[in-house]
Amino acid sequence: MEKKKPTGITSGRLFCIFLLTLFTLFYTGFLTRELWFDEVLTLQFAYLPRAVDIYRSYTIPNNQIIHTICIHLLLNGGFAPEMLRIFPLLCAAVMIYLLWRNFAGETGEKPLMLTLGALILSPPFMLYGSAVRGYMLAALFCVCALCAARKFVFTGNKRFLAGWFIFSLLAVGVMPSALAGIAAAGLYVLPYCGKKFWKNRKTYYLAVMPFAAFAIFYLPVWHDLQNAFALKEGWHNGWYALLALFLAVLITLAVPLVCGIFFHRLKLRYWPRTLIWFLPLGGMFLPVSPFPRVWWVLFAFFALLSAGYLRKMPEKFFPVAAAAVLLWGSLVSLEFSRKLLSPAVSLAGQDDFYAPYFAISGFEPSDTAGFIRQNFPENQRVFASFEADPFALLYYMPLDMDVPPGRCRYLARGTVVVLNMAEDPADFEKRFNGRLTEVYCNGFHRVCVLQ
């Protein structure tokens, strides 16, 4: 039986005010940052004439179909690209509200507020709550599927079973890897089906439908899906990818997990939920381990599990734990702290969670484009290397792109060459058989002229 809805200081209304306050304090800088590589690619797909064209254009995983269709509708509705960050932020707020509304009475109001507060204040949440990408939308659909499955198990109402199917379809329609989030939702509700859940027919209804949803959505574009997987995008060292995810989760939920070590009392009937922590191991069986960010759909479930570990924590410890969450979250959210943490979570490639290049203050492609427009003729040829994020620059000006890396083998003298600050100009001088004269640099770009 479900418990009463929370009331008093931890009521849903006051929690929403608390949530809005945190958004205002910590998210402004994330919302105003400039578009980066994947976001510009998203816009290119979203600007296709019809939504059905987006569905038929699954040429690369960057086209997160359902999310791209949502962006397509917003653009056609008059939203400017710079306004689109409101959409993932809204998805984030709705996801948090649904978790609170459905689980505060079950896990306890204060434990859930503690873990959701830790999640909200974390850099990964800020990053994907403000990215014009489908990760937060997929996480929202996974949480919606969880809520629908929970209601179905409690009531037996087939409308909630239909909801489980629809939200599973939408989640995998954003990205195929959202099946991990749907699996987490299924594992979380298994204890509701009883100690012998394998004898409950509802278990099998819930198990079959996500695979049916995946098949229905992707069979018409199955060849395109295979080609997208053949690109083998991801991290080539699976252990490093897992380590990056592990550290990100540990840093995000540090306070709740430490408290849970002392106050959690393991119950055998909840063992299926423990398997949620091990779902990312599935990436080890793929030819290339997925980018750590694809597991973002699991973070809400990790927070929910952490709240369950705090059910037995004495009331007197909650004020101290809440203060620790606020202090720790505020500390790690500072750009200085994120840059210090970034090397630990980016051992095999680009940081997906803390200080990726597009989330730091030096990333200003519009500034680079503005310098070139002001100091060179309108028809000036401009080349950008792959590491210089050519798609971000392309949003602000036309240029020749090095995509895939190494595509351009010849450039005329006088061409403006834009490199990443970490790249060695000597490598490009040898490649283009010329000399590069640097004329401008900022925190991310180095602008040179080929002599």
Side-chain angles (χ1 to χ4, degrees):
M1 180 181 289
E2 296 185 62
K3 296 182 181 180
K4 294 180 180 180
K5 295 178 181 178
T7 57
I9 191 66
T10 51
S11 68
R13 181 179 299 177
L14 290 178
F15 181 73
C16 287
I17 295 173
F18 171 71
L19 175 64
L20 182 62
T21 302
L22 292 180
F23 277 166
T24 303
L25 289 174
F26 292 100
Y27 282 65
T28 305
F30 280 79
L31 292 171
T32 56
R33 60 193 172 85
E34 299 190 4
L35 298 174
W36 67 291
F37 192 106
D38 284 359
E39 292 176 318
V40 177
L41 278 177
T42 297
L43 289 179
Q44 289 186 351
F45 285 111
Y47 276 122
L48 290 172
R50 301 174 301 166
V52 68
D53 296 329
I54 297 171
Y55 180 65
R56 293 171 178 169
S57 300
Y58 195 71
T59 53
I60 52 175
N62 297 75
N63 181 13
Q64 298 169 330
I65 297 173
I66 296 296
H67 173 260
T68 308
I69 290 174
C70 291
I71 297 301
H72 170 84
L73 295 174
L74 290 173
L75 290 170
N76 288 343
F79 277 75
E82 290 75 19
M83 298 172 60
L84 292 176
R85 296 199 189 282
I86 296 174
F87 179 62
L89 188 64
L90 178 63
C91 293
V94 173
M95 183 184 76
I96 293 296
Y97 177 75
L98 286 175
L99 288 170
W100 175 260
R101 182 81 175 179
N102 287 273
F103 294 95
E106 177 180 312
T107 65
E109 302 128 6
K110 292 182 179 179
L112 189 58
M113 179 176 284
L114 205 66
T115 57
L116 292 183
L119 182 63
I120 292 166
L121 283 171
S122 69
F125 192 88
M126 295 182 186
L127 184 62
Y128 295 111
S130 62
V132 188
R133 300 290 290 140
Y135 301 107
M136 190 61 79
L137 181 62
L140 169 61
F141 286 145
C142 289
V143 169
C144 290
L146 168 66
C147 296
R150 180 173 177 269
K151 291 287 187 180
F152 168 66
V153 172
F154 284 153
T155 67
N157 192 319
K158 295 295 177 64
R159 289 183 302 171
F160 295 116
L161 183 61
W164 165 255
F165 174 79
I166 291 170
F167 288 121
S168 297
L169 180 73
L170 292 172
V172 299
V174 175
M175 53 187 189
S177 56
L179 269 177
I182 299 301
L187 290 170
Y188 195 91
V189 300
L190 276 185
Y192 299 140
C193 295
K195 291 182 178 180
K196 297 183 179 181
F197 56 82
W198 56 88
K199 293 184 178 180
N200 192 327
R201 286 185 301 174
K202 295 175 182 176
T203 299
Y204 299 98
Y205 289 142
L206 296 175
V208 169
M209 285 194 169
F211 295 101
F214 186 93
I216 289 172
F217 192 89
Y218 284 106
L219 276 178
V221 292
W222 187 253
H223 182 69
D224 293 334
L225 180 67
Q226 288 180 308
N227 289 339
F229 277 125
L231 296 174
K232 296 183 178 180
E233 293 188 350
W235 284 19
H236 291 273
N237 190 315
W239 291 112
Y240 279 169
L242 280 176
L243 179 62
L245 175 66
F246 169 77
L247 290 173
V249 173
L250 185 63
I251 294 169
T252 296
L253 299 171
V255 175
L257 289 175
V258 168
C259 293
I261 291 173
F262 295 99
F263 300 109
H264 178 46
R265 299 294 180 268
L266 182 64
K267 292 185 178 180
L268 189 59
R269 65 172 298 183
Y270 293 134
W271 70 263
R273 294 179 181 175
T274 304
L275 296 177
I276 295 173
W277 295 102
F278 298 94
L279 286 175
L281 289 174
M284 299 297 295
F285 297 96
L286 299 175
V288 176
S289 184
F291 291 109
R293 58 180 175 264
V294 306
W295 304 112
W296 169 250
V297 294
L298 298 177
F299 274 63
F301 297 94
F302 294 153
L304 201 54
L305 290 171
S306 301
Y309 299 159
L310 302 178
R311 279 186 292 239
K312 298 296 183 180
M313 190 163 81
E315 189 82 10
K316 62 182 180 180
F317 289 107
F318 277 102
V320 177
V325 164
L326 290 173
L327 180 62
W328 177 251
S330 301
L331 177 64
V332 298
S333 297
L334 296 174
E335 184 171 328
F336 175 77
S337 301
R338 291 189 289 114
K339 287 181 178 179
L340 289 179
L341 292 168
S342 182
V345 293
S346 57
L347 295 175
Q350 180 190 300
D351 174 13
D352 279 359
F353 295 116
Y354 283 85
Y357 72 88
F358 52 84
I360 56 179
S361 55
F363 181 69
E364 296 178 347
S366 65
D367 181 66
T368 304
F371 171 83
I372 295 172
R373 285 197 302 267
Q374 291 174 12
N375 293 274
F376 294 92
E378 187 175 341
N379 60 350
Q380 173 68 45
R381 288 198 63 192
V382 180
F383 163 84
S385 71
F386 184 81
E387 295 298 325
D389 196 338
F391 279 99
L393 282 168
L394 187 63
Y395 181 73
Y396 298 101
M397 63 183 299
L399 47 74
D400 296 324
M401 298 185 293
D402 198 18
V403 180
R407 185 195 68 169
C408 294
R409 306 305 304 178
Y410 171 79
L411 291 178
R413 297 296 181 266
T415 300
V416 172
V417 177
V418 183
L419 306 177
N420 184 298
M421 289 291 292
E423 292 181 296
D424 186 356
D427 294 336
F428 290 84
E429 290 178 337
K430 182 177 179 181
R431 175 175 160 187
F432 297 130
N433 193 27
R435 184 170 58 86
L436 290 176
T437 302
E438 183 176 309
V439 294
Y440 177 77
C441 67
N442 56 26
F444 181 72
H445 285 135
R446 185 196 310 273
V447 180
C448 306
V449 177
L450 184 64
Q451 306 290 343

